[in-house]
Structures are given as structure tokens and as C-alpha cells.
Amino acid sequence: GDLAALRADPVRAPAAPALVEWARLASGYPESLLAAGVLRLARQFDDAVELLRRPPPAEWRTVHANEEAALAWHRGRAEEAAALWHQQADSVPVLFNRGMAALFLGDATTAREVLTRAAAGLPETTAWHHLARLYIAMASVRG
């Protein structure tokens, strides 16, 4: 079937004022970046955006950029997320996310190539390696 149909619809979660307050109290890096990721996973998207507006120190820019793309993905902005990951330098997390995005946006050829590179950089003992291999298999039957 159409893998794009499997992408989750962006649904805002019920209010979580205590979580949002905790996140707003985060200062500096990596604390505010972690808080933004927690808010993203809790579907408190607008509050996560606010935290990501804080400029990151140089050593956190790549992780910050990945989190911005992940937030776009979770908000249902798949094409925007894919474009953000495409702009980033190659790293295992970025390759994994690019491949996953390509797969769920219908580009099986790119997904297979990029996910193969990501899987090669992941230890076989991790769930991420096995998820990459599953995605590669899914891409292989599609193109």
C-alpha cells in the first residue's frame, strides 16, 4: 500500500502545563534542546518551536538542526522535514532520517540507498540498526 498513508496525522495533545513549565525553565544547552525534544514527543509543538528559537552554541548546531527537522516531521510537514534533513551534513542520524523520510514520501530508491548507509554506521546490537534494515526491506519491495 501507500506508505504515506501510514504517517501519523499531526494531532495536538491535551494541554500539559506542568511539562511546558518544566521545559521553559530549561536553561542553556543541552537542557533546552532536550526539553524541546520532550515537548515534541508530547506533541506540544508550539512550545517546542519556542525553545528551538534559542540559538544553539556551535557544538550543538547539528543536533539542533536535526531536532528542527524532527519537529517538522512530527507536525505533519513531511516535505519540509525532508528538505531540512537534506540540507544537513551526512551523519548516521541524518542519513537514517533522510532515508525514513524518503521511504514514507514514496522515493524507495533514495530510501534504500540512504538507509543502507545509515545501517552500516549503526551497531547490529541496536534497535535502530534493525529498524533501518526493516525500512530497507520495505524500500526494496517498492522499487
Side-chain angles (χ1 to χ4, degrees), residues 57-135:
E59 65 269 23
W60 289 101
R61 285 187 189 135
T62 57
V63 180
H64 183 96
N66 190 61
E67 182 58 34
E68 287 177 321
L71 178 59
W73 183 265
H74 282 223
R75 289 185 102 170
R77 299 174 180 169
E79 290 82 7
E80 176 186 340
L84 289 169
W85 280 314
H86 185 71
Q87 294 170 5
Q88 296 172 31
D90 289 357
S91 67
V92 171
V94 169
L95 290 170
F96 182 94
N97 288 330
R98 273 188 210 152
M100 177 271 311
L103 178 63
F104 288 95
L105 288 170
D107 185 354
T109 302
T110 299
R112 189 172 52 252
E113 184 270 320
V114 175
L115 286 163
T116 299
R117 291 174 54 207
L122 292 163
E124 289 185 26
T125 56
T126 67
W128 289 105
H129 175 85
H130 297 290
L131 183 57
R133 299 298 305 166
L134 173 65
Y135 286 167

Side-chain angles (χ1 to χ4, degrees), residues 3 6-7 11-12 32-33 38 48-49 55-58 65 68 80 99 110 135 142:
L3 291 180
L6 296 177
R7 292 193 322 249
V11 177
R12 186 163 170 82
S32 62
L33 185 61
V38 169
V49 167
E68 287 177 321
E80 176 186 340
T110 299
Y135 286 167
R142 285 174 169 62

